[in-house]
Short mmCIF file of all heavy atoms in Angstrom, two decimals:
data_model
loop_
_atom_site.label_atom_id
_atom_site.label_comp_id
_atom_site.label_asym_id
_atom_site.label_seq_id
_atom_site.Cartn_x
_atom_site.Cartn_y
_atom_site.Cartn_z
N TYR O 883 25.00 78.89 -90.69
CA TYR O 883 25.81 79.59 -91.70
C TYR O 883 25.89 81.09 -91.43
O TYR O 883 26.90 81.74 -91.70
CB TYR O 883 25.23 79.32 -93.10
CG TYR O 883 25.54 77.93 -93.58
CD1 TYR O 883 24.53 76.97 -93.72
CD2 TYR O 883 26.86 77.57 -93.89
CE1 TYR O 883 24.83 75.69 -94.15
CE2 TYR O 883 27.15 76.29 -94.32
CZ TYR O 883 26.15 75.36 -94.45
OH TYR O 883 26.45 74.11 -94.87
N ILE O 884 24.82 81.65 -90.92
CA ILE O 884 24.86 83.09 -90.59
C ILE O 884 25.91 83.37 -89.54
O ILE O 884 26.70 84.32 -89.63
CB ILE O 884 23.47 83.54 -90.11
CG1 ILE O 884 22.48 83.55 -91.29
CG2 ILE O 884 23.53 84.93 -89.47
CD1 ILE O 884 21.04 83.80 -90.88
N SER O 885 25.96 82.50 -88.50
CA SER O 885 26.95 82.71 -87.43
C SER O 885 28.37 82.52 -87.97
O SER O 885 29.31 83.22 -87.56
CB SER O 885 26.69 81.74 -86.27
OG SER O 885 26.80 80.41 -86.72
N MET O 886 28.54 81.57 -88.93
CA MET O 886 29.87 81.38 -89.52
C MET O 886 30.31 82.64 -90.29
O MET O 886 31.46 83.10 -90.21
CB MET O 886 29.88 80.18 -90.48
CG MET O 886 29.93 78.83 -89.77
SD MET O 886 29.99 77.50 -90.97
CE MET O 886 31.55 77.85 -91.76
N ALA O 887 29.37 83.20 -91.03
CA ALA O 887 29.69 84.39 -91.84
C ALA O 887 30.06 85.58 -90.96
O ALA O 887 31.03 86.30 -91.22
CB ALA O 887 28.50 84.74 -92.73
N ILE O 888 29.28 85.76 -89.90
CA ILE O 888 29.56 86.87 -88.98
C ILE O 888 30.92 86.68 -88.33
O ILE O 888 31.73 87.62 -88.22
CB ILE O 888 28.45 86.97 -87.92
CG1 ILE O 888 27.13 87.40 -88.58
CG2 ILE O 888 28.83 87.96 -86.83
CD1 ILE O 888 25.93 87.37 -87.65
N GLY O 889 31.22 85.46 -87.90
CA GLY O 889 32.51 85.19 -87.25
C GLY O 889 33.67 85.43 -88.18
O GLY O 889 34.71 86.00 -87.80
N PHE O 890 33.51 85.00 -89.47
CA PHE O 890 34.59 85.19 -90.43
C PHE O 890 34.83 86.69 -90.68
O PHE O 890 35.96 87.17 -90.73
CB PHE O 890 34.24 84.48 -91.75
CG PHE O 890 35.25 84.73 -92.83
CD1 PHE O 890 36.44 84.01 -92.87
CD2 PHE O 890 35.02 85.70 -93.81
CE1 PHE O 890 37.38 84.24 -93.85
CE2 PHE O 890 35.97 85.93 -94.80
CZ PHE O 890 37.15 85.20 -94.82
N ALA O 891 33.73 87.44 -90.83
CA ALA O 891 33.86 88.88 -91.11
C ALA O 891 34.55 89.61 -89.97
O ALA O 891 35.45 90.44 -90.18
CB ALA O 891 32.48 89.48 -91.37
N LEU O 892 34.15 89.30 -88.75
CA LEU O 892 34.76 89.95 -87.60
C LEU O 892 36.25 89.64 -87.50
O LEU O 892 37.09 90.49 -87.22
CB LEU O 892 34.04 89.54 -86.31
CG LEU O 892 32.61 90.11 -86.14
CD1 LEU O 892 31.96 89.50 -84.90
CD2 LEU O 892 32.65 91.62 -86.03
N SER O 893 36.59 88.35 -87.74
CA SER O 893 38.00 87.95 -87.65
C SER O 893 38.83 88.60 -88.74
O SER O 893 39.95 89.10 -88.52
CB SER O 893 38.12 86.42 -87.74
OG SER O 893 37.39 85.81 -86.70
N PHE O 894 38.28 88.59 -89.98
CA PHE O 894 39.03 89.14 -91.12
C PHE O 894 39.31 90.64 -90.91
O PHE O 894 40.44 91.11 -91.02
CB PHE O 894 38.23 88.92 -92.41
CG PHE O 894 38.88 89.52 -93.62
CD1 PHE O 894 39.87 88.81 -94.31
CD2 PHE O 894 38.54 90.79 -94.08
CE1 PHE O 894 40.48 89.35 -95.42
CE2 PHE O 894 39.15 91.33 -95.19
CZ PHE O 894 40.12 90.62 -95.86
N TRP O 895 38.25 91.38 -90.61
CA TRP O 895 38.43 92.84 -90.47
C TRP O 895 39.12 93.19 -89.16
O TRP O 895 39.76 94.25 -89.05
CB TRP O 895 37.10 93.56 -90.58
CG TRP O 895 36.58 93.55 -91.99
CD1 TRP O 895 35.52 92.88 -92.48
CD2 TRP O 895 37.15 94.25 -93.08
NE1 TRP O 895 35.38 93.09 -93.82
CE2 TRP O 895 36.37 93.95 -94.24
CE3 TRP O 895 38.27 95.11 -93.24
CZ2 TRP O 895 36.64 94.46 -95.49
CZ3 TRP O 895 38.52 95.62 -94.49
CH2 TRP O 895 37.71 95.30 -95.61
N GLY O 896 39.07 92.33 -88.18
CA GLY O 896 39.78 92.59 -86.94
C GLY O 896 41.29 92.57 -87.14
O GLY O 896 42.03 93.33 -86.51
N VAL O 897 41.76 91.70 -88.07
CA VAL O 897 43.22 91.61 -88.33
C VAL O 897 43.60 92.50 -89.52
O VAL O 897 44.45 93.40 -89.42
CB VAL O 897 43.62 90.14 -88.59
CG1 VAL O 897 45.09 90.06 -88.97
CG2 VAL O 897 43.32 89.29 -87.37
N CYS O 898 42.95 92.24 -90.66
CA CYS O 898 43.35 92.97 -91.89
C CYS O 898 43.00 94.46 -91.81
O CYS O 898 43.73 95.31 -92.35
CB CYS O 898 42.66 92.34 -93.10
SG CYS O 898 43.17 90.63 -93.38
N GLY O 899 41.91 94.78 -91.14
CA GLY O 899 41.54 96.18 -91.01
C GLY O 899 42.57 96.96 -90.20
O GLY O 899 42.91 98.11 -90.51
N SER O 900 43.11 96.31 -89.16
CA SER O 900 44.14 96.97 -88.34
C SER O 900 45.40 97.23 -89.15
O SER O 900 46.04 98.28 -89.05
CB SER O 900 44.46 96.10 -87.13
OG SER O 900 43.30 95.91 -86.33
N LEU O 901 45.81 96.25 -89.99
CA LEU O 901 47.01 96.41 -90.82
C LEU O 901 46.80 97.49 -91.89
O LEU O 901 47.73 98.18 -92.29
CB LEU O 901 47.38 95.08 -91.49
CG LEU O 901 47.76 93.94 -90.53
CD1 LEU O 901 48.02 92.66 -91.32
CD2 LEU O 901 48.98 94.29 -89.71
N LEU O 902 45.57 97.59 -92.36
CA LEU O 902 45.30 98.52 -93.44
C LEU O 902 45.28 99.98 -92.96
O LEU O 902 45.80 100.88 -93.63
CB LEU O 902 43.95 98.17 -94.10
CG LEU O 902 43.53 99.01 -95.31
CD1 LEU O 902 44.54 98.80 -96.45
CD2 LEU O 902 42.13 98.61 -95.77
N PHE O 903 44.73 100.21 -91.79
CA PHE O 903 44.56 101.60 -91.33
C PHE O 903 45.58 102.04 -90.29
O PHE O 903 45.67 103.22 -89.98
CB PHE O 903 43.14 101.75 -90.73
CG PHE O 903 42.04 101.51 -91.73
CD1 PHE O 903 41.28 100.35 -91.68
CD2 PHE O 903 41.80 102.42 -92.74
CE1 PHE O 903 40.28 100.13 -92.60
CE2 PHE O 903 40.79 102.22 -93.66
CZ PHE O 903 40.02 101.05 -93.60
N LYS O 904 46.42 101.15 -89.74
CA LYS O 904 47.43 101.50 -88.71
C LYS O 904 48.81 101.28 -89.32
O LYS O 904 49.26 100.14 -89.43
CB LYS O 904 47.22 100.62 -87.48
CG LYS O 904 48.01 101.06 -86.26
CD LYS O 904 47.38 102.27 -85.57
CE LYS O 904 48.05 102.55 -84.24
NZ LYS O 904 47.54 103.79 -83.62
N ARG O 905 49.51 102.39 -89.74
CA ARG O 905 50.79 102.26 -90.44
C ARG O 905 51.85 101.60 -89.58
O ARG O 905 52.58 100.73 -90.06
CB ARG O 905 51.30 103.65 -90.89
CG ARG O 905 52.64 103.60 -91.62
CD ARG O 905 53.08 105.00 -92.02
NE ARG O 905 52.12 105.59 -92.95
CZ ARG O 905 52.24 106.83 -93.44
NH1 ARG O 905 53.25 107.59 -93.05
NH2 ARG O 905 51.35 107.32 -94.28
N SER O 906 51.97 101.97 -88.28
CA SER O 906 53.02 101.39 -87.41
C SER O 906 52.83 99.90 -87.25
O SER O 906 53.79 99.13 -87.23
CB SER O 906 53.00 102.09 -86.05
OG SER O 906 51.73 101.92 -85.42
N TRP O 907 51.57 99.44 -87.15
CA TRP O 907 51.31 98.00 -87.03
C TRP O 907 51.67 97.27 -88.32
O TRP O 907 52.18 96.15 -88.30
CB TRP O 907 49.83 97.76 -86.71
CG TRP O 907 49.46 98.10 -85.29
CD1 TRP O 907 50.14 98.91 -84.44
CD2 TRP O 907 48.31 97.64 -84.60
NE1 TRP O 907 49.51 98.99 -83.25
CE2 TRP O 907 48.34 98.21 -83.31
CE3 TRP O 907 47.24 96.82 -84.93
CZ2 TRP O 907 47.37 97.95 -82.37
CZ3 TRP O 907 46.26 96.57 -83.98
CH2 TRP O 907 46.32 97.14 -82.72
N ARG O 908 51.41 97.98 -89.49
CA ARG O 908 51.70 97.34 -90.78
C ARG O 908 53.21 97.14 -90.93
O ARG O 908 53.66 96.09 -91.36
CB ARG O 908 51.14 98.22 -91.90
CG ARG O 908 51.26 97.58 -93.28
CD ARG O 908 50.36 98.28 -94.31
NE ARG O 908 50.71 99.68 -94.52
CZ ARG O 908 49.98 100.70 -94.15
NH1 ARG O 908 48.82 100.52 -93.53
NH2 ARG O 908 50.38 101.95 -94.39
N TYR O 909 54.04 98.21 -90.59
CA TYR O 909 55.50 98.08 -90.69
C TYR O 909 56.01 96.98 -89.76
O TYR O 909 56.89 96.18 -90.13
CB TYR O 909 56.17 99.42 -90.34
CG TYR O 909 56.00 100.49 -91.39
CD1 TYR O 909 56.23 101.83 -91.10
CD2 TYR O 909 55.62 100.16 -92.70
CE1 TYR O 909 56.08 102.82 -92.08
CE2 TYR O 909 55.46 101.13 -93.67
CZ TYR O 909 55.68 102.45 -93.35
OH TYR O 909 55.51 103.41 -94.31
N ALA O 910 55.51 96.92 -88.55
CA ALA O 910 55.96 95.89 -87.59
C ALA O 910 55.64 94.50 -88.11
O ALA O 910 56.42 93.56 -87.99
CB ALA O 910 55.30 96.13 -86.24
N TYR O 911 54.46 94.34 -88.74
CA TYR O 911 54.04 93.01 -89.23
C TYR O 911 54.98 92.53 -90.34
O TYR O 911 55.42 91.39 -90.36
CB TYR O 911 52.60 93.10 -89.75
CG TYR O 911 52.09 91.82 -90.37
CD1 TYR O 911 51.78 90.72 -89.59
CD2 TYR O 911 51.94 91.72 -91.76
CE1 TYR O 911 51.32 89.55 -90.17
CE2 TYR O 911 51.48 90.56 -92.33
CZ TYR O 911 51.16 89.46 -91.53
OH TYR O 911 50.71 88.31 -92.12
N PHE O 912 55.33 93.44 -91.29
CA PHE O 912 56.19 93.01 -92.39
C PHE O 912 57.62 92.76 -91.91
O PHE O 912 58.32 91.90 -92.44
CB PHE O 912 56.17 94.06 -93.52
CG PHE O 912 54.89 94.00 -94.32
CD1 PHE O 912 54.00 95.08 -94.34
CD2 PHE O 912 54.58 92.88 -95.08
CE1 PHE O 912 52.84 95.02 -95.07
CE2 PHE O 912 53.43 92.84 -95.83
CZ PHE O 912 52.54 93.90 -95.82
N ARG O 913 58.12 93.57 -90.91
CA ARG O 913 59.45 93.27 -90.35
C ARG O 913 59.48 91.90 -89.69
O ARG O 913 60.45 91.16 -89.81
CB ARG O 913 59.82 94.36 -89.33
CG ARG O 913 60.29 95.67 -89.96
CD ARG O 913 61.03 96.53 -88.94
NE ARG O 913 60.18 96.88 -87.82
CZ ARG O 913 59.44 98.00 -87.78
NH1 ARG O 913 59.44 98.83 -88.82
NH2 ARG O 913 58.68 98.26 -86.73
N PHE O 914 58.38 91.53 -89.04
CA PHE O 914 58.29 90.20 -88.42
C PHE O 914 58.36 89.10 -89.48
O PHE O 914 59.06 88.09 -89.32
CB PHE O 914 56.97 90.09 -87.64
CG PHE O 914 56.64 88.69 -87.19
CD1 PHE O 914 57.27 88.12 -86.10
CD2 PHE O 914 55.72 87.92 -87.89
CE1 PHE O 914 56.98 86.86 -85.70
CE2 PHE O 914 55.43 86.63 -87.50
CZ PHE O 914 56.04 86.08 -86.40
#
Side-chain angles (χ1 to χ4, degrees):
Y883 285 111
I884 290 172
S885 61
M886 282 182 63
I888 293 173
F890 175 81
L892 289 174
S893 301
F894 177 84
W895 288 110
V897 176
C898 297
S900 299
L901 297 177
L902 183 63
F903 298 107
K904 191 77 171 175
R905 179 180 298 178
S906 60
W907 285 21
R908 186 164 62 249
Y909 288 163
Y911 176 72
F912 284 116
R913 282 197 299 269
F914 169 77

